[in-house]
Amino acid sequence: MPTIFSRIISGEIPSYKIAEDENHFAFLDINPVTPGHTLVVPKKEVSYLFDLSDSDYTALQLFAKRVAAAVEKAIPCKRVGVTVIGLEVPHAHIHLLPINTEADMDFHHKQTLPAERMEEIAATIRANFK
């Protein structure tokens, strides 16, 4: 059975898409820790990030770097924090979070934002993606 991320990539489940290429997909987390919290995933369904081949892992990190640059331009923040937890969905993924302090990386503080705000954030990040 496909993971929820594979279903998002295929368009079966709607998302606030940020960017995609042939092998990767980036979209807003629907319960962000901070506004602009973005997930970056390979389109290939692999459960654990470190099970990716070296070339796939490197390509995913380089795609995430481009997404992080767009997030940083779009969302006022000091940095874009990066974390890999990988327990909640069995599909390799990277979390990118706009942060101003280390406390902004606390996953116990997830929030829900109105759909209009999520779309506004996604559109602003997309506009900065290169």
Side-chain angles (χ1 to χ4, degrees), residues 14-104:
S15 69
Y16 299 100
K17 183 169 93 169
I18 301 300
E20 80 176 299
D21 66 14
E22 183 179 320
N23 298 307
H24 311 101
F25 197 89
F27 56 99
L28 292 182
D29 190 306
I30 60 167
N31 294 115
V33 175
T34 61
H37 178 174
T38 301
L39 297 170
V40 180
V41 303
K43 288 184 176 179
K44 181 190 302 183
E45 200 170 283
V46 174
S47 177
Y48 183 49
L49 182 73
F50 298 118
D51 285 340
L52 290 168
S53 70
D54 289 352
S55 60
D56 288 344
Y57 176 83
T58 301
L60 180 64
Q61 292 289 349
L62 290 172
F63 184 77
K65 182 179 179 180
R66 291 174 52 213
V67 173
V71 169
E72 192 167 27
K73 287 179 184 171
I75 307 295
C77 62
K78 288 185 180 177
R79 300 265 169 120
V80 173
V82 179
T83 189
V84 175
I85 300 170
L87 296 174
E88 61 280 356
V89 178
H91 191 131
H93 57 287
I94 297 168
H95 294 264
L96 302 175
L97 293 92
I99 61 171
N100 291 301
T101 69
E102 289 178 7
D104 291 339

